[in-house]
């Protein structure tokens, strides 16, 4: 079963706006990762945040992690039409080795 | 630097048949994991291979089996195909090295094989 839950399931915004996606998980983790998937394609790694980190930035991406609430958020600033994709959070558990547990994903549509 | 490559890209089978999917890991990687992604859902972990052995397995029946070759490439085999096996099958690679996962590495994914069962 999927560990993570993401919300919203779908998000539609205009170019230039910010997009925020949230992820919750259930078990103790080593890290949480965000991946992007363009329609029917493979997953592209975006950012990894370790369990002892609270916030991380990469370009237009900002990720926060709250281990007390077992939740994370991904913020994409100044969105572009090319950001249209599905976004998944994935957790690496403390005892699961490199196995990833994915959420159900958020479908982001950025309208030009 | 070659990334993860999977073949074939698309495959159509009928119920009861058997299928083999192939994956070549990213250069320098020694571990291959397989995931099943049903339409509209997140990927689910099937199993992982390292040193030609299955290290971890998810909640999948033994109709799903795999193999890893000395060059680190891997195959996923599915027997007695069911309609519910229709999905995108993703391969991911990583570097384990000395058998102890040190964590905090991203996984590198291929573009997947789209399997349709008629």
């Amino acid at each position: 079963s999927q560990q993570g839950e993401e919300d919203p399931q779908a998000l539609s915004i205009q170019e230039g706006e910010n997009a925020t996606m949230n992820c919750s998980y259930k078990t103790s983790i080593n890290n949480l990762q965000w991946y992007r998937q363009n329609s029917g394609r493979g997953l592209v790694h975006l950012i990894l945040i370790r369990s002892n980190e609270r916030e991380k930035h990469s370009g237009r991406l900002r990720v926060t992690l709250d281990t007390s609430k077992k939740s994370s958020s991904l913020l994409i600033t100044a969105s572009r039409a090319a950001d249209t994709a599905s976004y998944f959070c994935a957790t690496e558990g403390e005892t699961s080795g490199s196995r990833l547990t994915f959420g159900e994903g958020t479908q982001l549509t950025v309208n030009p | 630097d070659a990334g993860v490559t999977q073949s074939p890209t698309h495959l159509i089978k009928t119920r009861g048949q058997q299928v083999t999917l192939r994956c070549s890991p990213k250069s320098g990687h020694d571990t291959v994991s397989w995931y099943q992604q049903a339409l509209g859902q997140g990927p689910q972990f099937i199993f992982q291979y390292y040193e030609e052995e299955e290290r971890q397995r998810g909640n999948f029946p033994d109709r799903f089996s795999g193999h890893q070759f000395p060059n680190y490439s891997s195959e996923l085999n599915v027997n007695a195909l069911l309609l519910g096996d229709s999905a995108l099958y993703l391969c991911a690679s990583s570097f384990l090295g000395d058998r102890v996962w040190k964590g905090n590495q991203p996984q590198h994914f291929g573009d997947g094989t789209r399997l349709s069962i008629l």
Side-chain angles (χ1 to χ4, degrees):
Chain A
S1 63
Q2 298 291 328
Q3 171 178 238
E5 293 183 1
E6 294 179 63
D7 81 277
Q9 289 187 333
L11 180 62
S12 182
I13 60 175
Q14 298 298 124
E15 263 192 328
E17 294 181 338
N18 295 342
T20 299
M21 289 159 263
N22 302 295
C23 166
S24 63
Y25 58 91
K26 296 177 183 176
T27 62
S28 297
I29 62 172
N30 279 335
N31 63 66
L32 185 144
Q33 304 175 34
W34 286 90
Y35 288 83
R36 183 185 74 209
Q37 184 177 41
N38 288 64
S39 179
R41 300 292 301 274
L43 299 167
V44 175
H45 181 263
L46 296 177
I47 196 165
L48 181 154
I49 185 166
R50 302 183 184 198
S51 60
N52 61 354
E53 297 175 314
R54 292 296 165 258
E55 186 171 313
K56 201 162 183 179
H57 297 253
S58 177
R60 295 185 295 112
L61 305 180
R62 173 182 167 242
V63 169
T64 62
L65 179 64
D66 186 335
T67 52
S68 67
K69 295 181 179 178
K70 290 186 167 58
S71 66
S72 173
S73 67
L74 170 67
L75 168 67
I76 303 174
T77 60
S79 63
R80 307 165 181 168
D83 294 329
T84 295
S86 292
Y87 291 81
F88 293 91
C89 69
T91 54
E92 182 185 294
E94 281 186 342
T95 58
S96 64
S98 60
R99 168 180 180 166
L100 293 177
T101 301
F102 284 85
E104 297 291 338
T106 294
Q107 172 61 50
L108 173 65
T109 301
V110 182
N111 301 298
Chain B
D1 182 16
V4 179
T5 58
Q6 292 187 243
S7 64
T9 54
H10 294 86
L11 205 50
I12 299 174
K13 292 284 187 178
T14 57
R15 283 178 296 175
Q17 285 188 313
Q18 178 265 342
V19 68
T20 297
L21 311 181
R22 295 176 176 82
C23 171
S24 293
K26 178 180 167 65
S27 179
H29 285 183
D30 57 10
T31 303
V32 172
S33 301
W34 287 92
Y35 292 81
Q36 180 195 64
Q37 185 179 22
L39 198 61
Q41 297 184 18
Q44 291 197 52
F45 178 80
I46 303 174
F47 44 52
Q48 182 183 84
Y49 276 83
Y50 170 72
E51 289 191 334
E52 304 179 47
E53 292 185 355
E54 184 182 290
R55 278 178 56 93
Q56 296 187 76
R57 189 179 182 91
N59 189 25
F60 279 81
D62 58 12
R63 296 187 298 109
F64 289 77
S65 64
H67 189 77
Q68 186 179 34
F69 299 93
N71 66 353
Y72 308 119
S73 66
S74 176
E75 289 182 349
L76 163 64
N77 301 293
V78 187
N79 294 322
L81 287 166
L82 304 174
L83 292 178
D85 295 332
S86 293
L88 180 67
Y89 288 84
L90 296 163
C91 169
S93 73
S94 55
F95 177 70
L96 185 60
D98 59 359
R99 299 188 178 186
V100 179
W101 177 250
K102 299 177 179 62
N104 299 315
Q105 293 181 40
Q107 302 265 326
H108 294 256
F109 283 82
D111 278 341
T113 294
R114 173 73 62 187
L115 176 62
S116 300
I117 311 300
L118 303 179

